[in-house]
Each structure stands twice: as C-alpha cells, then as structure tokens.
Amino acid sequence: MFWVNGVPSEMVSLTDRSFQYGDGCFTTMLSRYGHIEHWPLHIERMQACLSALHIPIPDWLQVKQWLDLAVLADEKAVLKLHISRGLGGRGYSFSEVTQPLVTISSASYPPHYAALQQTGLQLGVCQTRLGINPLLAGHKHNNRLEQILCKAEMEKQGYQDGVTLNVQNHVIETTMANLFWLKESVLYTSDVSQSGVAGIMRRLILAQAQHDGMTVNVIDAQIAQLLDADEVFVCNSLLGVAPVTRIQDRNMPIGEMTRYFQGIFCS
C-alpha cells in the first residue's frame, strides 16, 4: 500500500523531482505491532538531509499521522518514508517548486532476516568504488546508484551482500548496512564523513558502546584491517545486528560482542 501526502495512491506525477533528479531523501523504519521503532531518530535523520538539500521541513506531527495510517499491525513490519522536493521546476532550478511530496509505503518484514541474525552473512568485496562526496555523505538521499551497482555486482557473484570501499580504498559499509569490527577488545567502525550512509542503528551502537565505556575508533580502514578482525558484524534499522561469518575466502567467528549488541537491539 502506498500513500502520497496522506492519500492512498499507486502513482506520482512524471514531473516529481525525485523521479526526474533523485531530489529528495528517505528512511526505512522497523515497526512492531504498529509502533515505529526509533521514530525521533528517523525525524533527525530526515531533517538533517532535508536541510542539506534545502527542502522545506514538513509538519512531523502530520507525517506521523500519515505513517500511523499506513503502518502494518504485524509483530514486525517495514515502513518507508520518502520525501521529494515536489513537482516541477525548470531544469535543475527548484525556484517554482512550492510543496514537498511525502510518500509512504509499508511491507511485510523480510522473513530471512531472522536467519541472518543467527547464522550470519557471507560477504564479497565490491570492485565498484564509492565516490567522495562530503556535501552529501552520511545522508540517505535518493541517489543510490552506487549501491545499486555494487549490489548487482555481488548478486552476480552469488554473495548475500558486499563490503564497499571508496575511491581512496577506505572500507565504508556494505551495500545495505554499516560495518563494525572488533580487534583486541577495541571496537571499530568506518568514517562515513566522505562516503556512505550514517545509519540509525550505527548511531545507537556507538552510543551504547560509549555508555558501556568501550574503546571505540571511527577510522579510515583498509580492507586488510577488516579481514584481520576478531569478529565483524553489520547493522541497519531493519536487520538490527547480524554477524559476518565470511568475507571472500576469510572465515570469521560469531563473537560475543556481536551477540551482546543483538541482545540489546534485536530482542
């Protein structure tokens, strides 16, 4: 089911700027029995990206009412919020665009995610490199072409997902999730200030680790550092936390740190 500005709909105009230019942003949320998980953090994420794109901030109370109409009552379900700058404008100019377009969709929870949380993912390493874009890095804007190309590369090779590197050969994320790894009791994650997406679950894990007094390093890592890790896990809002059991030909154990964060965020 799709909703456009609170009205059930199966279409948007061909003049929509998200269709024309990718001019907008989105967030994908987990719901439990009709309740949206971490909704305030999703607002912050969307608001930060909308501000970076100079798109007017919507009335979040109104958006929440629309989301409540669309959300499924399942034990777990998926809810996607997509905001386009709106309709029209001449070329790249948006001076004539007056109202953002809020599109909401709901879906069943992916049934294989529970198995991934328990048995883990096997990852390839993408040859397609992410660009450097500090203006938009961290944000989940609607231009996901790099991730699409990386995902196609991994599917062709038979992997569930893949590690993405940027053009400077720094480890960034996977095609669908953020990466964490543990080495000698130090927790690491990639710096996403130049490339990639700063996910909400990544933010929650960093906050929990800080609360627990863990040593955490946010770094520009080479692939060799990731392959040398004692354990690796991925995270996003839907999957929660899932272990990585293999990267290319390197087998990895499912570690206690992975299970610890799963106990907090996947219960």
Side-chain angles (χ1 to χ4, degrees):
M1 186 69 178
F2 291 85
W3 301 70
V4 179
N5 285 354
V7 179
S9 179
E10 292 293 331
M11 63 188 69
V12 294
S13 170
L14 292 176
T15 65
D16 174 63
R17 291 184 62 90
S18 182
F19 169 72
Q20 293 285 343
Y21 307 112
D23 192 0
C25 58
F26 70 100
T27 191
T28 307
M29 300 166 282
L30 174 68
S31 65
R32 296 175 186 265
Y33 299 109
H35 171 75
I36 301 170
E37 294 275 280
H38 310 303
W39 170 235
L41 297 184
H42 285 284
I43 291 178
E44 288 184 27
R45 158 187 246 183
M46 292 292 286
Q47 193 148 308
C49 191
L50 291 169
S51 296
L53 297 174
H54 305 291
I55 294 176
I57 304 298
D59 179 344
W60 293 116
L61 291 177
Q62 177 68 81
V63 171
K64 181 61 166 57
Q65 290 175 358
W66 292 341
L67 288 166
D68 288 340
L69 292 174
V71 68
L72 300 179
D74 300 2
E75 179 182 359
K76 287 185 178 181
V78 180
L79 198 60
K80 181 177 180 181
L81 171 62
H82 169 284
I83 299 181
S84 161
R85 190 180 303 276
L87 308 182
R90 180 176 176 81
Y92 291 140
S93 173
F94 55 82
S95 60
E96 299 175 10
V97 182
T98 58
Q99 182 182 8
L101 203 65
V102 178
T103 305
I104 295 167
S105 59
S106 57
S108 299
Y109 189 77
H112 65 288
Y113 274 17
L116 292 180
Q117 289 174 353
Q118 293 306 308
T119 61
L121 294 89
Q122 298 186 15
L123 305 179
V125 177
C126 300
Q127 294 303 305
T128 303
R129 295 294 191 257
L130 306 182
I132 305 297
N133 189 352
L135 180 65
L136 297 177
H139 298 303
K140 202 157 189 179
H141 54 78
N142 290 342
N143 289 282
R144 299 288 97 198
L145 292 177
E146 292 174 330
Q147 286 73 21
I148 289 170
L149 293 173
C150 289
K151 188 68 171 181
E153 181 187 338
M154 290 297 95
E155 288 179 343
K156 186 176 181 179
Q157 296 180 32
Y159 287 107
Q160 297 163 309
D161 198 5
V163 178
T164 62
L165 288 71
N166 67 13
V167 294
Q168 296 176 334
N169 288 325
H170 297 151
V171 172
I172 300 301
E173 56 199 5
T174 76
T175 70
M176 68 174 189
N178 288 121
L179 276 165
F180 282 86
W181 63 97
L182 192 73
K183 181 65 178 179
E184 298 177 351
S185 300
V186 177
L187 187 64
Y188 293 88
T189 193
S190 300
D191 184 348
V192 293
S193 64
Q194 303 296 306
S195 308
V197 174
I200 285 174
M201 188 55 62
R202 175 182 182 271
R203 175 176 173 178
L204 289 169
I205 290 170
L206 288 172
Q208 184 67 45
Q210 182 180 23
H211 176 270
D212 293 343
M214 297 180 189
T215 301
V216 183
N217 287 341
V218 179
I219 64 171
D220 289 328
Q222 302 294 315
I223 188 65
Q225 293 170 268
L226 183 65
L227 295 175
D228 190 47
D230 298 328
E231 63 178 286
V232 179
F233 62 89
V234 298
C235 64
N236 66 31
S237 290
L238 295 183
L239 181 58
V241 176
V244 173
T245 58
R246 189 179 180 90
I247 300 177
Q248 287 187 329
D249 59 354
R250 166 81 157 84
N251 291 320
M252 296 180 169
I254 299 176
E256 294 181 0
M257 186 68 69
T258 302
R259 293 308 192 201
Y260 172 72
F261 284 117
Q262 283 186 321
I264 297 173
F265 298 113
C266 299
S267 58

